[in-house]
Amino acid sequence: MSNKAARNLFIFGSLFFFVIFLGLTFDTMKQIDGRAPEVTKEVDDGKQVWHKYDCIGCHTILGNGSYFAPDMTKVVEKKPAGYLKKFLMDPKSTNKNATMPKLGLSSKEADDMIAFLTWISKIDTNGWPPKPILAQAAGVGGAQQTRGQQVYQSQGCSNCHSINGIGGTSGPDLTKVGAAGKDAEWHMKHLKDPNSLVPGSAMPPYPSLSDSDLKELAAYLVSLK
Amino acid sequence: MTIKYQSQKIAQYFYTFAIILFAVQVLVGLVAAIQFLKPDIAILSFATIRTLHINALVVWLLAGLMGATYYVVPEESETELWNYPIALFQFWATVVAVTAVVVGYIVMGIFPQANISVLGTLVLNEGREYIEAPRWADVLIVVSVLLFLFNMFMTMLKTKKWTAIQGVLLTGLVFLALMYLPGMFYSKNMVKDQFWWWWVIHLWVEGSWEVIAGALLAFMLMKTIGAKREVLEKWMYIEVGLVLFTGILGTGHHYYFIGTPKYWWWVGGFFSSLEPVPLLLMVWDAFRTTREARNVTNKVGLFYTVAHAIFNFVGAGLWGVIHTLPQVNQWTHGTQITTAHGHLAFYGAYVLLIMAMIYVTLPSMRGVKEFKTSRAYQAFWWMTISMVFIVLTITGAGMVQVYMERLMGLDYVAVKANYNLWFWIIRAIFGVGFLVGTLIFVYDYFRLGKDQGLQKT
Ligand code: HEM
Ligand code: HEM
Ligand SMILES: [Fe+2]
């Protein structure tokens, strides 16, 4: 191949691929709006709060960003808005182990942020993040569960609490919660209305749990020693 | 060896600025690594420290590329620079703008509320990774780059010697400047925001910058061993051609999971898997030319050139291709695997490239034929061994993270705090080793050609 032929190949080949890329970009732009809910004013305001505090400097969102803190794509599916709002405005008061700094979000900024994160969670991401396959595989052959354990799971307590290393870190570890001297009575009251026992608690209340479920759950918690 | 054209000396201003920022970058990188263990170690939070780390990196590499270009174009055009004062002005304007941006980041880090929005754009920090620089700074950067490009084109027009090397070099630089623009507007839709953001990031490092690297590789092989221009230039065209054929559509490897259509799985997966091919070709090119070499005029320069070619392939090519298929990437996306790749790719492809250019061009600017080379080798080994271990450590952390968090469903914070603790400690230790190498290099840069009783090269 002569140098001139190599040069022409470089120039025209690159242009060729760039044109295809532009075509795909054009098509993608048309499709994107249909793959997520409409962007409301709150969502856009929330996005601006995201940029203002440089949340991407620690977190990823849609898997892109920094790897110092958890991904934000599906966080609203795991944590209720009431909890998130408290956390965003003052992380340490919500979770004493938190290392995220208190950035000074106002109440409105926190609401907008939650609207933004809710919008993000509804984007069609082609299935990302995938469900943890090993956890699912292990669940199939798992041991018989008590009613209390079942309630614990179905209510998503493990999104915030962990037992024997499994579960979230937003709330206190419950591995030995039964050894803390709190009886079933206390737990039932706490579950119904955490604020009545722990003022300012960021744990969501569970007022609609049936009495029997509440009893079983409390018994399970007391048994954790 | 002396330079042919006095105005080439402008390159040294850019090199010096680049090297100072390099030292800053590595220092704050080490702080960031320690913050994985003790988040409150510095007044500034991790977010600010990391922003400084990656922005210092990008800016010093750009400054290095500009310096290198100021050296190459007069040489290839066989004439003095078109306008030296403009070049000097462009340099100082860049320094002032960059300093202002850095001060802005620090202010924002201490008083987040100071990052107010004026006319719809944030004044201190745009809050988008790598392109955190606020809009007013973007405009200054564009003006600076335009001045620079204009000066280069006018220089070429003086003699109208369009060598292939400078043609490709300038094509890469124009492409680089153009690809900055998609990052300069606001999208309400986060998916579109990230879509265009990747145009900047990906089409820089896997498009325009690699084109520039291809041109500089040919230049350095010619300078250090007097390889034949004809042959070098032909392979250069083929290499940079393949870079763009695979790299442009390879952008799709960032469009798997961000809310973009699924056909990107095919487009991105296919083309990005081929991206290592031109990088491997560059390695082969470097070895082939070296084997044929009769007289090596600058051994250290050649050493760094070949090292750049190899680590470009390993860091970008190999560490990139392992997680580029959608079926793999869905598990590794946004984990420490990405960090491992990011570090080895940037180090191999661009840090070593700029260092190689400095060792190839600096001796003649300092007016020496021979210089003491021991420090250059020491710096290389300190840095490279440390970097390889940092990358292996973080690849390990990434594998644990993928297994524990993504496959088993454990909590992110628990994995980071418990299972990966030792990886963070080891990274920090090798970070110190990297800093030692950096400081040797900084010292060597200022001392090069000034030692007493010069050794033979
Ligand atoms: C010199 C060239 C390259 C450099 C400097 C580079 C650098 C980077 C960096 C810094 C990131 C992380 C971006 C972020 O912060 O979100 C990244 C991501 C990525 N790179 Fe590269 N890269 C290069 C070449 C390549 C090549 C050749 C491939 C594939 C063959 C590749 C595949 C990827 C993939 C798949 C990701 C996304 C990772 C994720 O999903 O989290 N890169 N690259
Ligand atoms: C010249 C050498 C270096 C280059 C080219 C480099 C490049 C980068 C890049 C591109 C990023 C952002 C993207 C990513 O996380 O993948 C980054 C982040 C980071 N770098 Fe470096 N870096 C270098 C040296 C260091 C050193 C010596 C350390 C300290 C041990 C370090 C520690 C970090 C940390 C902790 C992060 C944040 C990663 C995260 O978000 O989890 N870097 N660096
Ligand atoms: Fe990429």
Side-chain angles (χ1 to χ4, degrees):
Chain A
M1 189 168 17
S2 72
N3 278 30
K4 202 165 169 214
R7 189 193 69 191
N8 289 341
L9 183 71
F10 162 58
I11 295 175
F12 294 107
S14 304
L15 285 175
F16 173 76
F17 284 105
F18 203 81
V19 169
I20 296 184
F21 185 55
L22 279 176
L24 290 175
T25 296
F26 186 73
D27 181 70
T28 299
M29 281 299 137
K30 278 199 309 198
Q31 291 199 36
I32 283 177
D33 288 327
R35 296 173 61 92
E38 199 195 332
V39 180
T40 60
K41 169 104 174 44
E42 287 74 42
V43 172
D44 181 35
D45 286 352
K47 179 171 184 281
Q48 293 185 29
V49 178
W50 175 265
H51 294 307
K52 173 181 170 191
Y53 293 101
D54 194 24
C55 309
I56 202 111
C58 290
H59 290 277
T60 48
I61 190 161
L62 298 169
N64 294 318
S66 310
Y67 319 111
F68 186 75
D71 186 77
M72 289 288 113
T73 312
K74 299 286 178 193
V75 69
V76 295
E77 290 181 1
K78 292 201 164 167
K79 309 284 153 79
Y83 168 83
L84 285 176
K85 182 164 182 183
K86 280 208 176 84
F87 182 85
L88 289 173
M89 291 177 68
D90 191 354
K92 271 229 172 44
S93 79
T94 313
N95 168 0
K96 66 180 186 335
N97 296 323
T99 54
M100 174 161 145
K102 182 172 175 179
L103 294 162
L105 272 78
S106 68
S107 170
K108 174 176 186 310
E109 284 178 328
D111 287 335
D112 290 340
M113 174 57 65
I114 292 165
F116 170 66
L117 292 173
T118 308
W119 180 85
I120 287 280
S121 74
K122 297 200 175 117
I123 296 170
D124 176 357
T125 55
N126 294 329
W128 196 86
K131 298 265 168 302
I133 43 174
L134 291 182
Q136 283 170 332
V140 175
Q144 213 38 284
Q145 286 186 326
T146 65
R147 178 71 198 144
Q149 278 171 314
Q150 284 168 1
V151 178
Y152 182 85
Q153 275 200 346
S154 63
Q155 294 298 323
C157 310
S158 69
N159 284 331
C160 292
H161 295 286
S162 56
I163 298 177
N164 294 322
I166 302 194
T169 45
S170 309
D173 185 287
L174 298 183
T175 311
K176 294 224 179 324
V177 68
K182 287 162 186 154
D183 56 10
E185 203 63 33
W186 187 92
H187 283 301
M188 280 158 62
K189 205 167 168 219
H190 181 253
L191 284 165
K192 272 200 172 134
D193 182 11
N195 258 312
S196 65
L197 292 170
V198 185
S201 168
M203 172 156 147
Y206 291 86
S208 53
L209 274 180
S210 74
D211 277 352
S212 73
D213 281 355
L214 212 52
K215 259 203 189 96
E216 295 282 356
L217 184 55
Y220 171 56
L221 292 171
V222 173
S223 76
L224 294 168
K225 287 185 181 155
Chain B
M1 240 188 309
T2 48
I3 42 171
K4 295 201 192 103
Y5 307 98
Q6 284 309 310
S7 48
Q8 285 177 294
K9 278 199 175 162
I10 186 87
Q12 274 195 78
Y13 285 89
F14 287 88
Y15 287 167
T16 306
F17 182 51
I19 282 164
I20 292 168
L21 282 178
F22 180 25
V24 172
Q25 180 229 329
V26 174
L27 206 64
V28 289
L30 190 56
V31 176
I34 296 171
Q35 284 181 321
F36 268 72
L37 299 156
K38 278 185 81 63
D40 303 324
I41 193 91
I43 309 161
L44 297 169
S45 79
F46 177 84
T48 310
I49 295 287
R50 190 189 199 271
T51 300
L52 291 172
H53 180 60
I54 58 180
N55 280 258
L57 169 73
V58 173
V59 171
W60 86 256
L61 292 176
L62 284 174
L65 288 178
M66 282 187 188
T69 309
Y70 273 121
Y71 184 93
V72 172
V73 169
E75 181 130 338
E76 292 281 295
S77 297
E78 300 182 4
T79 177
E80 292 287 348
L81 205 59
W82 174 67
N83 191 320
Y84 190 84
I86 289 190
L88 207 56
F89 169 78
Q90 188 245 332
F91 171 76
W92 285 111
T94 308
V95 174
V96 171
V98 169
T99 312
V101 171
V102 167
V103 171
Y105 291 159
I106 293 173
V107 170
M108 186 271 187
I110 298 172
F111 311 104
Q113 299 299 340
N115 193 21
I116 51 169
S117 176
V118 175
L119 301 172
T121 77
L122 294 160
V123 290
L124 299 180
N125 182 328
E126 216 174 86
R128 297 166 80 205
E129 195 192 2
Y130 299 106
I131 48 175
E132 285 92 347
R135 198 58 40 82
W136 58 265
D138 291 345
V139 174
L140 290 182
I141 292 166
V142 169
V143 171
S144 161
V145 170
L146 284 181
L147 271 182
F148 160 75
L149 284 175
F150 185 65
N151 212 342
M152 293 297 114
F153 274 110
M154 294 309 281
T155 308
M156 280 204 268
L157 281 182
K158 271 170 77 180
T159 57
K160 301 210 173 57
K161 273 191 186 302
W162 277 89
T163 69
I165 289 182
Q166 66 174 348
V168 170
L169 180 60
L170 279 234
T171 307
L173 286 165
V174 170
F175 189 29
L176 186 161
L178 286 177
M179 284 307 111
Y180 194 61
L181 305 180
M184 283 180 61
F185 62 88
Y186 179 78
S187 307
K188 285 185 176 188
N189 186 317
M190 191 63 168
V191 179
K192 290 184 186 166
D193 184 310
Q194 294 209 344
F195 184 92
W196 293 112
W197 177 79
W198 277 118
W199 269 52
V200 183
I201 310 308
H202 172 98
L203 290 177
W204 265 17
V205 298
E206 288 159 69
S208 57
W209 292 32
E210 284 286 2
V211 170
I212 294 166
L216 293 180
L217 177 67
F219 179 81
M220 292 189 293
L221 289 172
M222 202 169 69
K223 284 288 138 186
T224 52
I225 46 186
K228 269 224 219 61
R229 182 187 278 275
E230 294 293 289
V231 187
L232 277 175
E233 290 185 339
K234 182 168 87 189
W235 283 108
M236 173 187 70
Y237 277 131
I238 295 174
E239 286 153 10
V240 297
L242 287 175
V243 161
L244 293 184
F245 301 171
T246 57
I248 291 173
L249 288 173
T251 317
H253 66 184
H254 303 295
Y255 298 155
Y256 300 150
F257 312 117
I258 64 166
T260 35
K262 200 158 180 178
Y263 55 70
W264 288 108
W265 284 37
W266 293 97
V267 179
F270 180 77
F271 284 94
S272 70
S273 302
L274 295 173
E275 282 184 47
V277 173
L279 309 184
L280 188 60
L281 214 55
M282 290 180 188
V283 179
W284 171 80
D285 200 10
F287 275 104
R288 176 185 51 81
T289 335
T290 313
R291 243 196 338 268
E292 289 166 5
R294 293 283 168 270
N295 57 332
V296 180
T297 51
N298 182 339
K299 248 187 173 165
V300 192
L302 177 63
F303 180 84
Y304 270 91
T305 307
V306 174
H308 147 73
I310 295 173
F311 280 99
N312 187 7
F313 171 67
V314 176
L318 290 186
W319 249 258
V321 87
I322 50 170
H323 60 157
T324 205
L325 288 175
Q327 291 75 9
V328 177
N329 192 255
Q330 66 175 328
W331 302 107
T332 61
H333 182 45
T335 63
Q336 293 294 325
I337 297 286
T338 311
T339 304
H341 157 66
H343 278 84
L344 201 57
F346 258 113
Y347 176 70
Y350 303 121
V351 172
L352 285 176
L353 174 70
I354 302 297
M355 290 180 72
M357 272 307 285
I358 288 176
Y359 280 116
V360 170
T361 60
L362 196 61
S364 62
M365 284 190 270
R366 296 268 163 91
V368 292
K369 191 167 162 47
E370 291 162 354
F371 57 97
K372 192 174 163 192
T373 58
S374 54
R375 285 188 303 254
Y377 289 114
Q378 279 167 21
F380 175 83
W381 289 115
W382 273 99
M383 282 193 210
T384 304
I385 293 174
S386 307
M387 183 47 81
V388 165
F389 278 99
I390 288 174
V391 168
L392 290 177
T393 305
I394 293 307
T395 305
M399 283 158 62
V400 169
Q401 185 187 1
V402 168
Y403 188 82
M404 294 292 196
E405 185 197 338
R406 296 285 166 86
L407 297 178
M408 304 257 295
L410 294 192
D411 182 68
Y412 171 94
V413 175
V415 175
K416 179 182 166 206
N418 305 329
Y419 301 97
N420 271 339
L421 180 67
W422 278 97
F423 289 115
W424 310 141
I425 296 174
I426 298 169
R427 163 167 67 185
I429 294 171
F430 283 110
V432 176
F434 196 92
L435 181 63
V436 170
T438 311
L439 295 179
I440 298 174
F441 172 63
V442 173
Y443 180 74
D444 191 41
Y445 172 80
F446 288 106
R447 290 295 303 159
L448 191 142
K450 296 174 185 165
D451 296 280
Q452 300 292 310
L454 292 173
Q455 288 175 344
K456 261 197 96 56
T457 41

